[in-house]
Amino acid sequence: MVAKPIQEIPLAPVACCTPVAAPDITTEQADVLAAIFKALADPHRVRIVNLLANADEPVCVCDFMPQVGLSQGTVSFHLKKLLDVGLLEREQRGTWAYYSLKRDGLDRLADVFVAKED
């Protein structure tokens, strides 16, 4: 059986920084923001993002297991959720996958919460 490559879903709010306080937010913009918030709404995923934010280099999926106390399959599930919304980058090295944050995406995601001043 041939494994399907992991596909990354483009992250519109990180790319365009649609503020929550923007007037007339579209349904599509709200859907994409909700997907990101949903991905970050799990404590294990927040912990994974925290570990990556403090890592000097990409982290192997195997290195998350003792840190978050989850099995490899469960860690991979959580990493995939974060990858799908565009918060992570994935690099394959042999049989192991290594993950890192898309730091510019996190910086732009912070702009989503900036209220527009009149």
Side-chain angles (χ1 to χ4, degrees):
M1 180 190 299
V2 177
K4 292 182 182 179
I6 294 179
Q7 248 183 337
E8 184 179 321
I9 298 170
L11 186 58
V14 169
C16 70
C17 302
T18 305
V20 174
D24 302 322
I25 189 169
T26 68
T27 301
E28 181 180 308
Q29 290 167 330
D31 288 344
V32 176
L33 279 172
I36 295 167
F37 296 156
K38 185 175 179 180
L40 291 170
D42 183 281
H44 295 295
R45 292 182 208 139
V46 171
R47 180 111 164 92
I48 288 169
V49 168
N50 175 260
L51 291 168
L52 288 171
N54 290 288
D56 294 330
E57 57 188 34
V59 178
C60 177
V61 68
C62 63
D63 293 329
F64 287 107
M65 297 180 321
Q67 296 290 327
V68 295
L70 299 172
S71 70
Q72 185 270 325
T74 304
V75 169
S76 292
F77 169 81
H78 288 301
L79 288 166
K80 172 110 172 62
K81 294 289 186 183
L82 294 167
L83 185 72
D84 285 348
V85 296
L87 294 175
L88 304 183
E89 293 179 309
R90 181 181 185 272
E91 176 187 346
Q92 192 70 36
R93 298 182 194 170
T95 58
W96 292 104
Y98 288 75
Y99 293 84
S100 58
L101 284 179
K102 286 189 174 179
R103 292 188 187 275
D104 61 331
L106 285 181
D107 291 342
R108 288 190 301 254
L109 182 59
D111 292 339
V112 169
F113 297 103
V114 174
K116 183 179 175 183
E117 294 184 27
D118 294 325

